[in-house]
Structures are given as structure tokens and as C-alpha cells.
Amino acid sequence: MSSESISAKSGRRVLVGIFAVAAVLLAASMAVTFRVGRLSLDAEHKMAAQLGVLNRLPDLGSTIKDAETGQRGYLLTGEDSYLEPYTGSLSKLKTQLAELQTLAGAGEISKNDLDRVSDLLQQKLAELAKTISLRREMGYEAALGEVKTDRGKNIMDEIRVIIERMRKAAQENYDEAVQRSNQTNFLRTATFVGVTFMNLGFLAWAFRKIARQEWLQSGQAQLNERMSGDQQLTELGEKALKFLAEYLDAQVGAIFIEEGDSFRQFATYAVPGPKNLPQTFAAGEGLLGQAVKDKRAYLIRDVPEGYLSVASGLGQSRPQRLMIAPMKVDGAVNAVIELGFFHAAYKADLDLLERVSELVGVAVRSAKYRTRLQELLEETQRQAEEVQAQSEELRVSNEELEEQSRALKESQSRLEQQQVELEQSNSQLEEQTQVLEAQKDDLSRAKVELETQAAIVEQASRYKSDFLANMSHELRTPLNSSLILAKLLADNREGNLSPEQIKYAQTIQSAGNDLLTLINDVLDLAKVEAGHMDLKAESFTPAELLDNLRRMFEPVAAGKGLALRMRIAADAPVTLEADRRRLEQVLKNLLSNAVKFTERGKVSLEVARAPNDCIAFTVRDTGIGIAADQQESVFEPFRQADGAANRKYGGTGLGLSISRELVRLMGGHIQLKSELGKGSVFILTLPEVYQPEKLLPARQIDEPKPRARAAVPSETGAAASRVKKSRIP
């Protein structure tokens, strides 16, 4: 075989090998391309499906909001025209749910969530229909009562939560599909570049196509997110205009929203001043009006002089391109967006504006419905307040008229009755005149006799008091001797007495001390009644007084298991001018009674400022208490709240009587507040400065129902003036 034939065969083998490798590479490339293309198509399908979900979910929420808005408008006004959003929403909901059911069947959204939303929507529509029926048949209040149950609100809240959850899931799926699409597109681009320039060109074109689609879909999704939530028209317009201007790289812009028969400017972007832009326009007026009339978007090149301009600190200039896009919902234009560009504008920009047209239109319509509903609600509340105020005025007027009428009838009846009584009285007075003349003579004689008896009683009372005062002194002398001897016997210093004899001596000493206490009480009472009680006023602090009382009663209270509390209020006077020994005697008596009649709980003494420059000592206990019908008698000599108390607790019944008289002599008074079984409160009130000239007579203090008692003679003249040591009547 010749070398040429070998070379030819070898060349053919190389060519075959090259073509084989090329074929394999091409086949592999085509297989990879096909696989990558399939993945890309799946990702695009996934993106389109999820974008459809993202677009339909807000529509679903907006539609049920429209239904609720129509229902609320009808509830407030009662006019059927406000039900148009409601009736229009019923068919839309069926269509939208059917579309979402298709997506759920394809596995693009959660079927459980969609089923739950469908069920809740049926419940919400049933609730709306019920309130509309109640409003039509039974009136506003019946429908309002159903609304106030919050059942519809709770359903709407759950619908929003589930729709938001579905939207987030769709957004996550969409983002994942975008990422997967980007990855597959990159792989496909690299494969095409490695194969041929043709594939590179095709991939570049396809990537650009997909990028444009992604750009459009991303713009829709981001704009939808910016406009989500309950926003006012101005806020909604500003957010939508700002996003579109930034997303499309526009240098100037404005948004006009339908208001009645015209469109009014609601927001601007980078406009130099309001005078450079029309505030309103009607359909058919200028390019804006023509876009509304034709219901289509315009891209204007070579913008003429004097048109919408862009300004900065360095100057201003007109834009090179202009886009005007109407925002539509259900075929009606309710907003117009105008954007200006320094650079060339592309059809993709116009495509984006056309795609978001219905999205912005639905948001504007919802915001307008919310604004109108708020206005109607405020108007209804204002009218309700006016009606309530007028109703209240009428009610007051009716009550006044009824009261006046009733008063007139009663006056007339009284006048008639008085006329009859006067006629009877005139006849009776003539008869009684003669009887009164005879009684006058009898009263004169009785008055003389009473004056004589009063003098005798006064003299007897004075003799009694003098006798008691003198006898008390005479009794204490031998009694003190007996007490000393009884104590000596009880001490048994020589140890010659038996325990029983010591007990007898202690009994004699105890009985003697009780008798001495009784004699001292009788002596004090006699001194007060006879006018022989001497008071010595001095200045001291309440703290010193409470320290002495605390040292005296803390062991006694602790022995009975009682809590003893003594407190001086922050506003209490720092010093007090009074007879300290007598005041301490009174407080000892009150605290002793409180401890004696309290089995468990606490006893407290509080010092505080009282009105009219006075100081109050309040003794509280949680003891047996005093019945209301016995609170007056406890201040009488030899009386206690209950006859059985003498036997159970002991005592002479003179302490409170003497205490009240001593407090009166110091210019104060004692008040008692008590309830049987819940303890007692004694309030001792004294002036901060001793003022003998202002003393009240005996028995004139703290006695709402005074009993008959011989008067205590009072002294006049210089003895009534204020002195440091005085003799007080």
C-alpha cells in the first residue's frame, strides 16, 4: 500500500475522529442544552405560575374588601347604589377562586390554605349578606349589632393572615424559581458560548428576553409590595410614583387620580414647582386627557419647549422622552402616571406601566373606597352625636316641664288645704285664746316653783360634790395605810406566813388598789363637777408623750399577744401646749380600755394635725366594739357598754366620764366611732395652744342627745383669761 493511500486513510480517520468528536460534543452540547432549556422552561413556568399567584392573591383580598366596602356603605346610607362593589365582587370571587384552584391543582400553592380561605370567604359572604338583610329588613341598629359581634372582623383577620402566608410562600417560591432560572440561564449561556457564536447569540437573546421578563415581573411584585396595606390616596400615590420613577430611572414624574369628573394631581417626583404642572385636567384635555380618553399609554419623543421640566441646584432642562400611562380597573381609568426621561425610553418601560395598570388601579380604587367609608363613618358619628345631644336636651326639657306641672298641682292642692285649715284655725284660735290666758297664769306660778326647785337641786349637787371631794381625801388616808400593811404582809420578809396567808394578803392589797383607783376616780369626778379641778398648761412634744405611753403599755400588750403601734403623722404639730399630766391620764385610760377589751389583733395610737389649728390623738383597737345604741351611755359615770362587761372585764365605769370632762377643760372634745364586734376608734381633739377663754360649758361637747344634768357654775372676769396655771370651771 502506498504512502499516499495511508496518509489519505489516516487523514480520513482524523477527519472521522474529528467529526466523531465534534458529533459527540455537538450531541452532548445539544443534550446539555436541551436539559438546561428544560430546566429553564420549568423555572420560567414556575415563575409565571408563582407570579400569577402573587397577582391573584392581592386581587382576591381586594375583591373581598370591595364586598365589605359595599356592605359598609349600604349599612351607613341604606342606599342600594352602595351595594355595587358588593354585587360585583360576588362573581369576581368565583372566578378568582377557580383560577387559584387550578394553580392549587398544579401544586403551585397550598391546597389546604386555599380550601381554608374558600371556606372563610363563604362565611364572610354569608355574614355580609346577613348584615345587608338585617339593614334592609330591621334597620341600622340591628345590622350594627351584628357587626359589633366582631365575627366578620375575625374572619377578615384570619383571611388576611392566610393570604399573607400564601403570598409569602409564593414569593419564596418565585425567588427560588428566579434563582434557579438565573443559574440555568448562566449554564445555558456558557454552553452556547462553548459551542458556537450562533448559540451564543441565541442564548444572549434568550437571556435578554428572560431578564426582561424577570425585570417586568420583579417590578410588578415590588410595586405590589409597596402598595400593600391600608394607605391613604396621597401616601399611595407618592409610593407608587417614587417606585416607578426609580425603577424606570425617570428624572421627573407626576400622578393624577380621578376626583369627580376630573383628575387631580396627588403626588409629584422631582418637579421644580407646582406652577410648572397643571393641578387638574378632564378627559380629552391635552395628552393626559387623551390618554384617559383612549385608555392606552403613550411614549413621546422630542418633547417640545416649555413642557414638564427637571430642575436642580445647577439649572433645569426639559426631558427627552415622556411616558403617559393610564391606570385602569374593570376597563375604567382612575389614575394617570406621567414620567419624563433624559435618556431614551424603551418599550419594556411602557410594557411595565401597562402591566401594573390594573394593579395600581385596584389599589387606588380600594384607597378611595376606604377614604369614602371613613368620611361616611365620621359623618354618621357626628350626626349620631348631634341626635344624642338633641335627645338629651328634649329629655331634660320634658323632665323640667313635668316637674313644673307637678309642682303647680301640688301648690294648688296645698293652697286649697291651707285655706280650709285657716278657716278651721280661725275658729279654734278664738276658743284657745281664752284657754291660753288661763294657762299663762298657771305657767307663771309653775315658773316660780321651778326656779325655787332648781336652786335647791343646784345647792344639793354642790353639797354632794363637796362631800365626795372631802370624803375621798378622808378615805384615802386609812386605805393607803392598809395597802402598805398588806404589801408588807404579802412580801413576808420574815418568812413566818404560810402560802395561803400570803395569798390572802395579796388579795387584800389588790382589793385595796382597786378601791383606791375608784376613790381617785370619784375624787377627780367630784373636782370637775365642783369646779375645783386645776390645770397646768405647759409646752411639750407629742413624741415625748408617746415614748412614755409606749414604755408603759408595750409589756401589757405583749402579755396579751397584741400588736401595739404608735405613730406621729408627718403633718402633726411639733409642740403642744396643754396639761401634760391630765392629757397623759386621758390617753392612758383610752389605751388601757383598748388593751382590756381587745382579745386579739392590734391597738394603735396616731397623732396628726386636725382642722382649726388643732391636734388629734386617735386610739384604735380591734376589740369587742360598742353597739350604736350604747355609745352615748359609755361616757356616763358608773356605766359601761354592756352590763356584762363589768363582770367580765372589771372597772368602775368612771374613766371615760372623767376623760371627757378633762378634755373639755383643756378646750377639746372626744369622738367615738365603733361597730359591735369590729373594734372602736376614740378621737381626742385638742387645740395646739391652750385657750381657756374659749371653753364650752360641761355637757355641751360630743352629746347629740344630752341628758338632764345640774349646771356647773362658771366663773367670769379675770379668772377666764388664758394663764399658764388656771382654775377652770
Side-chain angles (χ1 to χ4, degrees), residues 40-151:
S40 178
L41 289 175
D42 291 341
E44 289 183 9
H45 175 73
K46 188 71 173 179
M47 289 165 51
Q50 295 303 317
L51 184 60
V53 173
L54 290 174
N55 289 335
R56 287 175 175 81
L57 286 177
D59 292 344
L60 185 64
S62 176
T63 302
I64 191 61
K65 285 182 181 178
D66 291 346
E68 191 176 51
T69 300
Q71 173 248 11
R72 291 182 179 176
Y74 178 74
L75 292 184
L76 292 173
T77 62
E79 297 179 7
D80 290 338
S81 60
Y82 282 87
L83 286 176
E84 293 178 1
Y86 166 77
T87 55
S89 299
L90 297 180
S91 59
K92 289 182 182 179
L93 281 174
K94 293 181 180 179
T95 303
Q96 292 167 351
L97 284 174
E99 294 173 350
L100 289 173
Q101 287 290 354
T102 302
L103 292 172
E108 300 298 337
I109 56 175
S110 170
K111 191 173 186 308
N112 292 334
D113 286 344
L114 183 59
D115 290 342
R116 179 57 180 162
V117 168
S118 300
D119 182 61
L120 290 172
L121 287 175
Q122 295 301 322
Q123 296 179 28
K124 181 58 180 178
L125 291 177
E127 185 265 343
L128 295 178
K130 182 178 181 180
T131 55
I132 292 172
S133 177
L134 288 174
R135 178 66 173 91
R136 182 176 288 114
E137 296 174 4
M138 302 179 66
Y140 176 77
E141 294 296 332
L144 182 61
E146 178 65 19
V147 173
K148 286 184 176 180
T149 62
D150 286 342
R151 188 170 67 89

Side-chain angles (χ1 to χ4, degrees), residues 256-287:
F256 298 82
I257 298 177
E258 181 187 20
E259 192 175 76
D261 296 332
S262 62
F263 288 76
R264 183 169 68 86
Q265 172 193 316
F266 268 77
T268 60
Y269 181 81
V271 174
K275 65 181 180 179
N276 297 324
L277 195 65
Q279 296 299 308
T280 60
F281 68 88
E285 293 182 0
L287 291 175

Side-chain angles (χ1 to χ4, degrees), residues 439-453:
Q439 291 177 350
K440 181 179 179 182
D441 296 335
D442 295 339
L443 288 174
S444 298
R445 290 192 296 272
K447 180 180 179 182
V448 174
E449 293 177 359
L450 287 174
E451 289 176 351
T452 303
Q453 292 177 0

Side-chain angles (χ1 to χ4, degrees), residues 386-440:
E386 292 177 355
V387 170
Q388 185 177 0
Q390 293 173 358
S391 175
E392 183 66 19
E393 292 176 358
L394 289 174
R395 185 186 65 77
V396 173
S397 300
N398 289 335
E399 290 179 355
E400 292 177 352
L401 290 174
E402 291 176 359
E403 184 65 25
Q404 292 174 0
S405 176
R406 185 164 52 254
L408 287 174
K409 291 180 180 179
E410 292 177 355
S411 298
Q412 182 179 0
S413 176
R414 285 197 300 268
L415 288 173
E416 293 175 354
Q417 182 67 25
Q418 289 174 358
Q419 184 177 1
V420 174
E421 292 176 354
L422 286 174
E423 292 175 356
Q424 294 176 354
S425 298
N426 288 334
S427 60
Q428 293 174 357
L429 285 174
E430 294 178 357
E431 298 175 357
Q432 292 177 356
T433 301
Q434 298 176 355
V435 177
L436 289 174
E437 291 178 354
Q439 291 177 350
K440 181 179 179 182

